[in-house]
Amino acid sequence: MTIAKNYCSAGFIAICATVLLSGCATKPATLGQDVVPLAAALPQLPDFVGQRISVSGIPRQNQGRCKGLQPLSKQDWMLTDEDDACLWINGHSDETRLTDFRPTTRKDVITVTGELIQTDRGILVLKLPAPKLQATTREK
């Protein structure tokens, strides 16, 4: 009887733990609401044209596998990942304006937020808002 009682208690605890942990499981990131890794965001991008999104990836000048040449300006750059995912980025934010885009073996992941647009040629580009430059004052 003691063995059955201990077994039932252990089984009950296991069921309770499973229910509690499933309730605590993290929900998948949602493009348009959360920061989404680039590879996970790519299949959803066409549905988010004209919307503000946040994606994370590895910045590269133009060493990624994005389609075509720089779509909006010669300053456009690529956000990539280790599995050949690629998205053109236009502009710089406060967080990216000092980023080193030279080709390296570094794999520092950054997050960018901007409006997703589609060019006349069908290329998706994340357009970043202009950095907010802070005015400096001189004391006399």
Side-chain angles (χ1 to χ4, degrees):
M1 185 163 144
T2 305
I3 295 173
K5 185 177 180 183
N6 289 341
Y7 177 76
C8 290
S9 297
F12 180 73
I13 290 171
I15 291 171
C16 290
T18 303
V19 170
L20 287 173
L21 290 176
S22 65
C24 295
T26 58
K27 64 177 183 141
T30 305
L31 195 59
Q33 297 175 4
D34 304 309
V35 175
V36 178
L38 182 60
L42 280 179
Q44 304 173 52
L45 288 180
D47 298 332
F48 286 86
V49 172
Q51 296 183 40
R52 185 176 172 86
I53 62 168
S54 296
V55 291
S56 62
I58 303 166
R60 295 286 181 250
Q61 183 65 38
N62 55 9
Q63 294 78 28
R65 297 191 183 268
C66 288
K67 293 180 189 175
L69 299 174
Q70 295 151 312
L72 298 179
S73 77
K74 292 191 183 285
Q75 286 76 38
D76 291 350
W77 51 279
M78 298 177 183
L79 191 67
T80 65
D81 75 355
E82 296 178 3
D83 297 323
D84 295 335
C86 192
L87 177 65
W88 282 109
I89 308 294
N90 175 262
H92 292 283
S93 65
D94 290 329
E95 294 81 22
T96 65
R97 65 188 170 96
L98 299 177
T99 301
D100 184 1
F101 293 100
R102 292 177 294 186
T104 66
T105 57
R106 293 177 57 195
K107 298 187 189 306
D108 297 336
V109 174
I110 65 167
T111 298
V112 290
T113 301
E115 180 186 357
L116 185 66
I117 63 170
Q118 189 167 18
T119 67
D120 295 339
R121 295 181 182 218
I123 298 173
L124 296 172
V125 180
L126 187 64
K127 190 172 177 105
L128 304 184
K132 298 173 185 157
L133 300 176
Q134 297 178 352
T136 58
T137 58
R138 286 187 156 173
E139 294 185 36
K140 294 183 181 181

